[in-house]
Amino acid sequence: MAPPSKVTLTPICLLVYVWCFGVFMTLAWGSKARHFKWEVDYMYAAPDCLENVVMGINGQFPGPTIKARAGDTVVVHLTNKLHTEGVVIHWHGIRQLGTPWADGTASISQCAINPGETFVYRFKVDKAGTYFYHGHYGMQRSAGLYGLLIVDIEEGKKESFHYDGEFNLLLSDWWHKGAHEQEVDLSSNPMRWIGEPQSLLINGRGQYNCTLAAAHNSNGSSLPVCKFRGNEQCAPNILNVEPNKTYRLRVASTTALASLNLAIGNHKMVMMEADGNYLQPFSVNDFDIYSGSSRPPTNYNRRIFLLNTQNRINGYTKWAINNVSLNLPSTPYLGSIKHGLTSAFDQKSPPETFVNTYDITMPPSNPNATYGSGVYKLEFGKTIDVILQNANALNANVSEIHPWHLHGHDFWVLGYGEGKFSKKDEKKLNLQNPPLRNTAVIFPYGWTALRFVTDNPGVWAFHCHIEPHLHMGMGVVFASGVHLVGKIPDEALSCGLTGKLLRSNNHN
Amino acid sequence: MAPPSKVTLTPICLLVYVWCFGVFMTLAWGSKARHFKWEVDYMYAAPDCLENVVMGINGQFPGPTIKARAGDTVVVHLTNKLHTEGVVIHWHGIRQLGTPWADGTASISQCAINPGETFVYRFKVDKAGTYFYHGHYGMQRSAGLYGLLIVDIEEGKKESFHYDGEFNLLLSDWWHKGAHEQEVDLSSNPMRWIGEPQSLLINGRGQYNCTLAAAHNSNGSSLPVCKFRGNEQCAPNILNVEPNKTYRLRVASTTALASLNLAIGNHKMVMMEADGNYLQPFSVNDFDIYSGSSRPPTNYNRRIFLLNTQNRINGYTKWAINNVSLNLPSTPYLGSIKHGLTSAFDQKSPPETFVNTYDITMPPSNPNATYGSGVYKLEFGKTIDVILQNANALNANVSEIHPWHLHGHDFWVLGYGEGKFSKKDEKKLNLQNPPLRNTAVIFPYGWTALRFVTDNPGVWAFHCHIEPHLHMGMGVVFASGVHLVGKIPDEALSCGLTGKLLRSNNHN
């Protein structure tokens, strides 16, 4: 993947878009349950001025912004209005404490919602912060199924920092080729790479083949400058700001592939929060955003090494972790583990590490991997270290960035570095004040060390957040304390072997 | 719709394509059960020389040809390898006597098969004939999900006519725009018509923007002549025939939209069979084939008039029958009726007729229709007449051809004519030797009268076989003798309210 693309917000016209939400919701500020009725369907839109089919919610693209307060319960009645496709929605960054079935991951936490059917997502938003939601089935995120989820501080409490106004920036990447065709491309033999996105979108709006910044761009541009009458679907709105005021920017990136860099020309920004966790504030000119902090336990109970490699299986290009490419089963793990359905997925645990002679600087000497659907079973209430190890891809001198996202938990980022993780790196890990995140990057040829506590019963995906990479197998599954999970709604278990089990005592 | 397109097979090179099937099947000639293991997935192919995504079976497009003998049981283990879509397959022309759950119609006979899951279609092919199969969910037929189903005469028996060889011709139409996008087009407000197909295919092969026949076409052509090296995916194979021999052509059309006309230059053809029923042979120069003959009961027990109109609902363009546009429910009828789940669909029966003052020569004076999911409940063992009445569409001076296909039954075509069906037409109906079919056309501004006996317990679709028209609501549903239906496999009931019912006595 290319280095982060620059999304430069110039000072002359703070090119942040104002989006008017016709959200169908019962907004009862001060109350605890916030109900939303959503319908997912395809629609035509022109996100980057070129008309295309997008996946929308209640006729809107991007989907409606959810606003809630910390401690609230969000209730989304999600009806699938697609003609032949299932759908789920993942609430990115929400830990789903006690509600693992509401995590919105097909094959892991629930059965996909069938066309015409409604599933009720009911979960608590326990921590203030800027979150987002997106499809987590096939490549429905690339198709445009996403939106913001903003959790304000509890009623009656105040943020520790002052600001005069706030704006939301939902960043995404956009292809002119449909997500279905992209799926076929990636699953073809030989694999057809989807390439870089045609456009970058802010709040669902971008400009294809022209630039807004060219007139203000000191290093010039060969692209024409975008001209708008102002009423185009892709026309930017000027975000009005007053001098000498402080604005809170809530930035979320649902990109399927792109790593971004955000700057406001001639202005500094102060970083206050990341992944729903407050930061020790620090000032920056710009910051990287990939498709995705507290006293830690100082010791770990188990350490898992995960080698990230690009591989081949029967000629198909895949991504693999310790040589296993994730092949999601048709029965979601949460139900199959809870009900002891051992034929639902590979019962052998995936490898805990990789051979220590592996040369991460070279293409794999044996590129062949295997498909796997095994699960890392983690003891409940333990501290787990994960060392993500990057390596060379199939082609020489290629190693890519991978933003890894953990469901159901935040993790501490203990450190990252170049080359293969070794004993000397061990000593440099930050056990004093590591940042708390739910997404962390491994850089090319590098490693990243994470720590988390298995304090949330359920089955949780841990995967590269680049959607095409996940589609090609780049993920693992953690299961922990599933026996402590309460009653799983039947609707989450209606497919595959759990569906069969639940139907088995009945006869028609 | 335009008049039938001409597919002219010239005498110089009998342009019929030979297709090599790598069918994965246990072909045990002489035995009674024929097993097939199929996987449905998207793949790239170049049906008309332009590469595109198609829906294939076991990596083949069109799908494998099933060959069986009358009296055999066909068993297809169908695994859905699509990423996010459900799938079903309808066995067009097979009556499914005693196995209504194997008819392969989503929302009617079964729940769509979820990604990763397998459904077993097991049904008897009781009558020799040329049949075909195709997707019956959303517009998966347009996506390329189809193939031939050939039932030979019983072992030891001989056809009453002689032939020296036989060839299969599977005709279809092909768009460069994907079926998903076509669905969105048709469901848009204002509706976006998909237009005529880019190519016509024979056995999955056609030539876009050039013609094979130009060199032999007396009336000239502005298109270039196709040139092939011979190894192209879309290159025609010359079908070798010997002089003074007789060949059996098995012709099936799975077109989504197009009506076709087939001729062999300077040769006559003798029609022997249609829709799996032998005909009194007759000779033709060419014949029409739309997207789909015995002594009849001479009296009917019930007569239903079905007015075919194009309408609007909230600005969306729809097709409606007696002003009701079919809106399929998420719970298949077969299960919901059998289990008395009255909330699964509209309990009010749809209208039996239309106002007799309706002017079929004009656009509807009130174009507004309603959505409906009601069912015509037909008493078992009765004779039903259906008078299909065509009319003007939304635009003046437009009336289209509609090929109506009945599931689960053959019907007698008692007659057809121009204008509104009247008492004088009644007298002209052919009650002596009407042809027995499962598909019949109503011509523009015309009527067609059909008769069938409700001798097959189940729930059966009766609809226009033009896939975009069905997608826009042009169909009705007949239910008859559902109390006589045996045990429905649980897998056919796993979705919607039947799924919920079957799970309801269990707890996790």
Side-chain angles (χ1 to χ4, degrees):
Chain A
M1 207 175 63
S5 310
K6 296 270 174 192
V7 177
T8 305
L9 304 180
T10 73
I12 295 175
C13 55
L14 197 60
L15 291 171
V16 179
Y17 307 76
V18 170
W19 191 258
C20 299
F21 295 95
V23 190
F24 184 110
M25 56 179 177
T26 313
L27 258 187
W29 285 100
S31 90
K32 292 292 183 186
R34 301 184 184 276
H35 287 265
F36 302 85
K37 275 198 171 178
W38 284 2
E39 294 187 347
V40 175
D41 203 353
Y42 285 108
M43 56 186 267
Y44 272 101
D48 63 352
C49 307
L50 260 70
E51 193 181 63
N52 221 320
V53 170
V54 304
M55 204 175 263
I57 296 175
N58 294 347
Q60 296 174 229
F61 167 79
T65 295
I66 290 182
K67 293 201 77 172
R69 282 192 184 272
D72 284 354
T73 296
V74 170
V75 186
V76 178
H77 302 254
L78 187 74
T79 299
N80 179 358
K81 301 292 275 187
L82 308 174
H83 292 111
T84 57
E85 277 177 81
V87 77
V88 294
I89 289 186
H90 170 56
W91 316 93
H92 188 109
I94 304 300
R95 290 178 295 164
Q96 302 292 354
L97 294 167
T99 53
W101 50 80
D103 194 43
T105 44
S107 286
I108 297 173
S109 65
Q110 71 167 112
C111 295
I113 308 163
N114 289 324
E117 298 193 23
T118 300
F119 185 84
V120 181
Y121 288 99
R122 184 187 300 269
F123 55 89
K124 200 163 176 177
V125 289
D126 60 322
K127 290 198 299 183
T130 302
Y131 304 93
F132 58 105
Y133 61 83
H134 60 79
H136 210 296
Y137 191 32
M139 286 180 50
Q140 293 182 342
R141 178 155 55 102
S142 286
L145 185 55
Y146 44 72
L148 283 167
L149 196 175
I150 291 176
V151 182
D152 273 316
I153 198 162
E154 290 91 329
E155 182 90 60
K157 288 195 181 173
K158 277 185 115 176
E159 297 281 16
S160 62
F161 45 92
H162 166 79
Y163 52 98
D164 300 295
E166 78 176 54
F167 301 109
N168 301 332
L169 299 183
L170 177 62
L171 312 179
S172 57
D173 45 5
W174 185 247
W175 282 257
H176 293 161
K177 189 180 248 194
H180 289 110
E181 206 170 339
Q182 290 184 42
E183 287 176 359
V184 182
D185 283 346
L186 296 168
S187 304
S188 289
N189 181 1
M191 188 264 281
R192 304 177 180 205
W193 178 236
I194 58 169
E196 295 293 319
Q198 271 71 55
S199 299
L200 299 175
L201 309 181
I202 302 179
N203 294 336
R205 294 169 174 228
Q207 294 76 36
Y208 176 62
N209 232 4
C210 64
T211 171
L212 287 167
H216 314 292
N217 198 337
S218 59
N219 53 10
S221 164
S222 60
L223 287 175
V225 181
C226 296
K227 283 179 187 150
F228 293 98
R229 291 189 308 273
N231 59 350
E232 295 88 350
Q233 211 170 59
C234 58
N237 291 327
I238 293 170
L239 243 195
N240 292 308
V241 294
E242 292 176 27
N244 300 316
K245 298 281 189 183
T246 303
Y247 293 90
R248 179 178 191 163
L249 285 181
R250 293 181 176 275
V251 182
S253 170
T254 70
T255 58
L257 173 67
S259 301
L260 304 173
N261 179 282
L262 189 83
I264 300 176
N266 297 333
H267 283 70
K268 280 194 182 296
M269 294 176 281
V270 179
M271 305 297 287
M272 305 303 297
E273 179 238 306
D275 290 357
N277 296 296
Y278 291 109
L279 303 172
Q280 191 66 32
F282 60 96
S283 174
V284 295
N285 290 314
D286 62 89
F287 61 97
D288 292 342
I289 315 159
Y290 303 93
S291 171
S293 317
S294 5
R295 196 71 49 192
T298 52
N299 293 306
Y300 60 86
N301 301 106
R302 179 173 171 186
R303 179 175 276 183
I304 299 169
F305 291 85
L306 300 179
L307 176 69
N308 292 227
T309 54
Q310 198 181 28
N311 297 73
R312 287 197 209 287
I313 302 179
N314 302 326
Y316 292 90
T317 304
K318 297 289 170 190
W319 288 93
I321 306 305
N322 296 345
N323 237 31
V324 178
S325 185
L326 182 62
N327 191 19
L328 289 168
S330 55
T331 307
Y333 293 105
L334 182 64
S336 58
I337 295 176
K338 174 105 190 226
H339 290 284
L341 302 172
T342 54
S343 62
F345 62 93
D346 298 344
Q347 290 302 300
K348 200 179 156 216
S349 287
E352 200 83 359
T353 187
F354 55 97
V355 288
N356 63 8
T357 55
Y358 192 93
D359 186 351
I360 67 152
T361 67
M362 302 288 285
S365 57
N366 174 11
N368 292 329
T370 55
Y371 291 115
S373 61
V375 164
Y376 291 92
K377 286 173 189 141
L378 308 179
E379 204 179 335
F380 187 71
K382 298 293 180 185
T383 301
I384 310 295
D385 274 14
V386 174
I387 314 292
L388 288 163
Q389 178 65 57
N390 212 336
N392 198 99
L394 281 171
N395 292 328
N397 301 316
V398 173
S399 183
E400 305 194 11
I401 284 175
H402 302 289
W404 277 78
H405 172 58
L406 179 59
H407 290 232
H409 307 74
D410 291 321
F411 52 67
W412 293 277
V413 183
L414 304 185
Y416 59 95
E418 292 180 3
K420 207 195 280 192
F421 181 80
S422 68
K423 281 197 174 163
K424 69 175 166 33
D425 297 315
E426 177 89 42
K427 293 169 190 161
K428 291 186 226 156
L429 295 181
N430 173 9
L431 301 178
Q432 298 309 308
N433 60 348
L436 192 61
R437 305 291 301 267
N438 60 51
T439 305
V441 156
I442 41 169
F443 292 100
Y445 301 110
W447 57 266
T448 295
L450 312 174
R451 178 167 294 180
F452 68 98
V453 176
T454 54
D455 55 3
N456 191 8
V459 184
W460 308 103
F462 180 48
H463 62 89
C464 176
H465 206 260
I466 292 176
E467 198 169 44
H469 289 186
L470 173 58
H471 186 76
M472 295 161 80
M474 197 168 202
V476 298
V477 176
F478 294 142
S480 173
V482 176
H483 59 289
L484 302 172
V485 169
K487 161 108 177 65
I488 302 170
D490 281 358
E491 291 69 27
L493 303 171
S494 60
C495 62
L497 296 178
T498 45
K500 192 168 181 168
L501 175 76
L502 293 184
R503 293 187 302 265
S504 64
N505 294 341
N506 288 280
H507 298 285
N508 67 88
Chain B
M1 207 176 63
S5 311
K6 296 269 175 192
V7 177
T8 306
L9 303 182
T10 71
I12 295 172
C13 53
L14 197 60
L15 292 171
V16 179
Y17 308 78
V18 170
W19 192 257
C20 297
F21 296 96
V23 190
F24 184 110
M25 56 179 178
T26 314
L27 258 187
W29 286 101
S31 89
K32 292 292 183 184
R34 301 184 185 277
H35 287 265
F36 302 85
K37 275 197 172 178
W38 283 3
E39 295 187 345
V40 175
D41 203 355
Y42 286 108
M43 57 186 265
Y44 272 102
D48 62 353
C49 306
L50 260 70
E51 194 183 63
N52 221 320
V53 170
V54 305
M55 204 174 263
I57 296 174
N58 294 348
Q60 295 174 230
F61 167 80
T65 295
I66 291 181
K67 293 201 77 172
R69 281 192 185 273
D72 284 354
T73 296
V74 169
V75 186
V76 178
H77 302 254
L78 188 73
T79 299
N80 179 356
K81 300 293 275 187
L82 308 173
H83 291 111
T84 57
E85 277 178 82
V87 77
V88 294
I89 289 185
H90 169 56
W91 316 92
H92 189 110
I94 304 299
R95 290 179 294 165
Q96 303 291 353
L97 294 167
T99 54
W101 51 80
D103 193 43
T105 45
S107 286
I108 298 173
S109 65
Q110 71 167 110
C111 295
I113 307 163
N114 289 324
E117 299 192 25
T118 300
F119 185 85
V120 181
Y121 290 99
R122 184 188 301 269
F123 54 88
K124 200 163 176 176
V125 289
D126 60 321
K127 289 199 299 184
T130 301
Y131 304 93
F132 58 105
Y133 60 84
H134 60 78
H136 211 295
Y137 191 33
M139 287 179 51
Q140 293 181 343
R141 177 154 54 102
S142 285
L145 185 55
Y146 44 72
L148 284 167
L149 196 175
I150 292 175
V151 182
D152 272 316
I153 198 163
E154 290 90 329
E155 181 90 60
K157 289 195 180 174
K158 277 185 115 175
E159 297 282 16
S160 62
F161 45 92
H162 166 79
Y163 52 98
D164 301 295
E166 79 176 53
F167 301 108
N168 302 331
L169 300 183
L170 177 61
L171 312 179
S172 56
D173 44 6
W174 184 248
W175 282 257
H176 293 160
K177 189 180 248 194
H180 289 110
E181 205 170 340
Q182 290 184 42
E183 287 177 358
V184 181
D185 283 347
L186 296 169
S187 304
S188 289
N189 182 0
M191 187 265 281
R192 305 177 180 205
W193 178 237
I194 58 168
E196 294 293 319
Q198 272 70 55
S199 299
L200 299 174
L201 309 182
I202 302 180
N203 293 337
R205 296 170 173 226
Q207 295 77 34
Y208 176 64
N209 232 5
C210 64
T211 171
L212 287 167
H216 314 291
N217 200 338
S218 58
N219 53 10
S221 165
S222 59
L223 288 173
V225 181
C226 296
K227 283 180 187 149
F228 293 97
R229 292 188 308 274
N231 58 350
E232 296 88 350
Q233 211 170 58
C234 58
N237 290 328
I238 294 170
L239 243 196
N240 291 310
V241 293
E242 290 176 27
N244 300 315
K245 298 281 188 183
T246 303
Y247 293 91
R248 178 178 191 164
L249 285 182
R250 294 180 175 274
V251 181
S253 170
T254 70
T255 57
L257 173 67
S259 300
L260 305 173
N261 179 282
L262 189 83
I264 300 176
N266 297 333
H267 284 70
K268 280 194 182 297
M269 295 176 281
V270 179
M271 305 298 286
M272 305 304 297
E273 177 239 305
D275 292 354
N277 297 295
Y278 292 107
L279 303 172
Q280 191 67 31
F282 60 97
S283 173
V284 295
N285 290 312
D286 60 273
F287 61 97
D288 293 341
I289 314 159
Y290 303 92
S291 173
S293 310
S294 359
R295 200 69 49 192
T298 52
N299 294 305
Y300 60 86
N301 300 106
R302 180 172 169 185
R303 178 175 276 184
I304 299 170
F305 291 86
L306 300 178
L307 176 68
N308 291 226
T309 54
Q310 198 181 28
N311 297 73
R312 287 198 210 287
I313 302 178
N314 302 325
Y316 292 89
T317 304
K318 297 288 168 190
W319 288 95
I321 305 307
N322 294 346
N323 237 32
V324 178
S325 184
L326 182 61
N327 191 20
L328 289 168
S330 54
T331 307
Y333 293 104
L334 183 64
S336 57
I337 295 176
K338 174 104 191 230
H339 291 282
L341 302 172
T342 55
S343 64
F345 62 93
D346 299 344
Q347 289 302 300
K348 199 178 157 218
S349 287
E352 200 84 357
T353 187
F354 55 97
V355 288
N356 63 9
T357 54
Y358 192 94
D359 185 351
I360 67 152
T361 67
M362 302 286 287
S365 56
N366 173 11
N368 292 328
T370 56
Y371 291 115
S373 61
V375 164
Y376 291 91
K377 288 175 186 137
L378 309 179
E379 204 178 334
F380 186 71
K382 299 292 181 184
T383 301
I384 309 295
D385 274 14
V386 174
I387 313 292
L388 289 162
Q389 178 64 58
N390 212 336
N392 199 98
L394 282 170
N395 292 327
N397 301 316
V398 174
S399 183
E400 305 194 10
I401 284 175
H402 302 289
W404 278 77
H405 172 57
L406 178 60
H407 291 232
H409 307 75
D410 291 321
F411 51 67
W412 293 277
V413 184
L414 303 185
Y416 59 95
E418 291 180 3
K420 206 195 278 193
F421 181 81
S422 68
K423 281 197 174 166
K424 69 175 167 31
D425 297 315
E426 178 88 41
K427 292 168 190 161
K428 292 186 225 157
L429 296 181
N430 173 9
L431 302 179
Q432 298 310 306
N433 59 348
L436 193 60
R437 306 290 301 268
N438 59 51
T439 305
V441 155
I442 42 169
F443 291 100
Y445 300 110
W447 57 266
T448 296
L450 313 173
R451 178 167 293 180
F452 68 99
V453 176
T454 55
D455 55 3
N456 191 8
V459 184
W460 309 103
F462 179 48
H463 62 89
C464 176
H465 207 261
I466 292 176
E467 197 169 43
H469 289 185
L470 174 58
H471 185 77
M472 295 162 79
M474 197 165 204
V476 298
V477 177
F478 294 141
S480 174
V482 176
H483 60 288
L484 303 173
V485 169
K487 162 108 178 64
I488 303 170
D490 281 358
E491 291 69 28
L493 303 170
S494 60
C495 61
L497 295 179
T498 44
K500 191 168 182 167
L501 175 76
L502 293 185
R503 293 187 302 262
S504 64
N505 294 340
N506 288 281
H507 298 284
N508 65 89

